[in-house]
Amino acid sequence: MLECDVAVVGGGTGGYVCAIRAAQLGLKVILVEKDRLGGECLNYGCIPSKSLITISKLYEKTRDAEKFGLKVSGVSIDYDELQRWKAGVVTKLVSGVESLLKGNHVAVVPGQATIAERNRLVVTTGSGKEEIAAKNIVIATGTHPIQIPGVEFDGSVVISSREALELRGAPGDFLIIGGGAIGLEFACMYQKLGSRITIVELMEQLLPGGDPEVVRVVQRKLEERGAKVYLKSKVSSVSKGGTKATVEIETPQGRVSVGADKVLLSVGRAPRVEDLNLSGLGVGTDQRGYVVTDKRMMTSVSGIYAIGDVRGPPLLAHKASKEGIVAAECIAGLPSAADWTVIPETIFTDPEVASAGLTADRAAQAGFQAKSVRFPFAALGRALTAGETEGFVKVVYLPDSGSVLGVQIVGSEASNMISEVALAIEMGATIEDIAQTIHPHPTFPEALMEAAESAAGRPIHQLRL
Ligand code: FAD
């Protein structure tokens, strides 16, 4: 029987970070992974999707380059080469994780773990069963995509994000069920690669829960590029004939039938806990099956922790990693806890969306007498020089104290701009702090300073409201 202080189940961005931090703190760590180190994010999520999104953007820009005076002809995509490059990026990062684990003396056991007892794991490996006695166990098993009744994954016509990352060409007609972050990233990407896109969303707006003004910019751009968007609509059936599908959609205007070469089902995810014996152990879960923990990431069973997606939304890689660090530090006896104010979020649509803190609607619901200001990228020098003038920065703040409650950004570079916002909110910065901080020119983050200047009542590059 193997023995350790901490056994981490799952080697994703939550689990491997937890394992490294625990080992740094002098604990003996074993990491169990049934598939590939790096988990969903490195292998099937953030990294491969952003690789393809980058190239789709470059492809579109190159085709449109004539308006900048750049003459380019015969632009085409070699999908085999593109997939090889993308796989290379993933492999490089995964081997980086392997080296980091090795360098930190984390033992990796490849196999599928189940928790037999509070302190004992049984791992099914390629060559049999391995038992691990662990003083502490960290569950970091992530989530899997869900299906809807009558619409099941078949791996070729009705596909999940995994298959959508492996296509050897843009489907002619691509229907996406679910207008959340993952669905819209694929919609924007394949639209630029040449697909005709249809999006079906059950709720009344795309990116449900997002700021409606922000979402409008993304939807408008999708529609300008030719997408058909059905809101408050539901797919009732998908019938397949050979390599094509006919999708029946119930819309507020009646039933519509749409043909599709591929159907991406991205309607949400559920925790991957089936193999873990949680109820046998008495580990508490919520109504959706996510593992419940306290702020130290400890579950209802002492010595068993849970981190990352398996703990529930927001399902984000950086949240998983941070929770992994908290769990490792708590196990090592440090006074660590989930005490952050904001978890920034980025969506790699085109234009990009990023948010930290409260939207105006959420601030009102929480009882704040908040105000908001916007600064448009169309008024920003750097945005013009990049030919990326769509969108705005919106700051939600308290007029009396100047406290920043939240910022939403839609536009180019939104993903790179939101970290400053997260730092500002975590540090309790006010509108004045942001407005008084000199931002280099010409850059996209100047838009945040300009918005703060507007909130402070002294806008320079836009007229007083
Ligand atoms: P996972 O990464 O899911 O890792 C769990 C690991 O546990 C897996 O490797 C699995 O094989 C292993 N495992 C499960 N059960 C067992 C068992 N019984 N025994 C052993 N091993 C087991 N997030 C972002 O922040 N930014 C993005 O841009 C982004 N893009 C995304 C794009 C797509 C298409 C998808 C699908 C997701 C994206 N995400 C993004 C979400 C991100 O991938 C997750 O938030 C992140 O992977 C969660 O990490 P985790 O460690 O909690 O779980």
Side-chain angles (χ1 to χ4, degrees):
M1 167 127 52
L2 299 170
E3 288 182 7
C4 63
D5 298 312
V6 189
V8 182
V9 184
T13 40
Y16 85 75
V17 170
C18 178
I20 290 174
R21 185 72 188 119
Q24 283 173 348
L25 291 166
L27 298 167
K28 186 173 178 205
V29 186
I30 295 177
L31 175 64
V32 187
E33 171 54 57
K34 69 174 180 180
D35 184 11
R36 289 182 54 139
L37 289 171
E40 199 74 21
C41 177
L42 264 60
N43 296 289
Y44 316 108
C46 328
I47 296 300
S49 67
K50 268 81 255 184
S51 302
L52 297 182
I53 284 169
T54 303
I55 301 311
S56 70
K57 196 163 183 186
L58 185 60
Y59 181 56
E60 188 190 52
K61 274 234 154 190
T62 313
R63 279 180 313 170
D64 293 350
E66 211 150 297
K67 68 179 180 217
F68 306 112
L70 193 63
K71 301 267 185 210
V72 188
S73 58
V75 186
S76 63
I77 299 182
D78 177 339
Y79 279 90
D80 289 338
E81 193 52 45
L82 175 59
Q83 286 292 342
R84 255 196 299 280
W85 170 75
K86 182 206 77 180
V89 174
V90 170
T91 304
K92 195 170 269 184
L93 285 166
V94 172
S95 32
V97 170
E98 280 164 11
S99 307
L100 286 169
L101 289 167
K102 201 168 170 201
N104 280 287
H105 310 293
V106 173
V108 176
V109 174
Q112 175 155 333
T114 187
I115 310 175
E117 289 174 88
R118 203 189 72 75
N119 292 118
R120 190 168 60 89
L121 293 178
V122 176
V123 184
T124 309
T125 68
S127 54
K129 302 245 185 238
E130 185 92 72
E131 295 208 16
I132 302 173
K135 291 187 188 133
N136 300 278
I137 293 172
V138 180
I139 301 168
T141 49
T143 57
H144 57 74
I146 57 173
Q147 314 186 83
I148 51 179
V151 188
E152 272 103 39
F153 298 118
D154 63 20
S156 71
V157 179
V158 180
I159 58 174
S160 73
S161 54
R162 287 202 183 187
E163 289 87 30
L165 290 166
E166 300 295 327
L167 301 180
R168 292 297 202 265
D173 288 297
F174 199 1
L175 187 136
I176 295 172
I177 311 177
I182 292 178
L184 289 200
E185 286 189 1
F186 279 102
C188 292
M189 176 176 103
Y190 276 109
Q191 191 171 48
K192 286 187 222 169
L193 295 176
S195 296
R196 289 174 296 280
I197 299 290
T198 303
I199 302 167
V200 186
E201 168 56 51
L202 194 60
M203 307 302 278
E204 60 192 11
Q205 70 164 41
L206 297 176
L207 301 176
D211 181 304
E213 291 181 342
V214 166
V215 176
R216 261 200 295 282
V217 176
V218 177
Q219 181 170 340
R220 195 176 56 224
K221 189 74 191 178
L222 275 159
E223 288 172 337
E224 270 172 27
R225 288 193 182 104
K228 179 82 190 143
V229 178
Y230 293 101
L231 298 175
K232 291 194 264 179
S233 300
K234 190 164 106 181
V235 168
S236 48
S237 71
V238 176
S239 43
K240 284 169 269 177
T243 56
K244 250 186 137 53
T246 304
V247 183
E248 299 293 330
I249 310 168
E250 289 167 27
T251 79
Q253 289 73 42
R255 191 174 268 259
V256 179
S257 187
V258 176
D261 297 290
K262 296 275 177 211
V263 177
L264 171 67
L265 183 56
S266 62
V267 290
R269 301 183 66 88
R272 227 190 255 125
V273 289
E274 305 78 24
D275 319 320
L276 295 176
N277 177 34
L278 294 188
S279 56
L281 295 157
V283 171
T285 53
D286 69 13
Q287 282 172 343
R288 290 176 297 170
Y290 288 111
V291 181
V292 176
T293 76
D294 62 14
K295 286 191 151 209
R296 295 159 39 86
M297 305 298 136
M298 181 139 28
T299 67
S300 52
V301 176
S302 174
I304 300 186
Y305 296 74
I307 58 169
D309 282 8
V310 78
R311 266 192 83 229
L315 307 182
L316 295 167
H318 42 283
K319 170 190 158 272
S321 299
K322 191 73 184 157
E323 290 177 353
I325 290 172
V326 169
E329 292 180 348
C330 289
I331 292 169
L334 297 180
S336 195
D339 62 353
W340 44 83
T341 311
V342 292
I343 301 172
E345 189 174 357
T346 56
I347 304 170
F348 294 79
T349 41
D350 187 4
E352 291 182 356
V353 171
S355 176
L358 299 178
T359 61
D361 287 349
R362 289 269 159 82
Q365 282 159 15
F368 289 109
Q369 302 289 314
K371 287 183 84 173
S372 61
V373 289
R374 287 175 21 169
F375 185 83
F377 284 114
L380 190 77
R382 183 67 186 114
L384 269 95
T385 64
E388 304 266 359
T389 51
E390 242 146 10
F392 55 81
V393 172
K394 181 173 177 180
V395 179
V396 183
Y397 66 101
L398 291 176
D400 294 342
S401 61
S403 291
V404 180
L405 297 180
V407 173
Q408 291 77 46
I409 307 172
V410 56
S412 191
E413 301 294 329
S415 58
N416 288 322
M417 290 173 65
I418 204 66
S419 299
E420 177 185 354
V421 174
L423 180 65
I425 297 177
E426 288 293 347
M427 301 297 286
T430 63
I431 287 295
E432 273 303 330
D433 293 320
I434 297 174
Q436 300 265 9
T437 301
I438 298 176
H439 285 62
H441 178 73
T443 60
F444 278 94
E446 279 179 291
L448 179 64
M449 177 189 72
E450 299 271 4
E453 285 174 337
S454 285
R458 42 172 205 280
I460 300 294
H461 292 105
Q462 65 180 343
L463 296 173
R464 267 180 214 274
L465 304 173

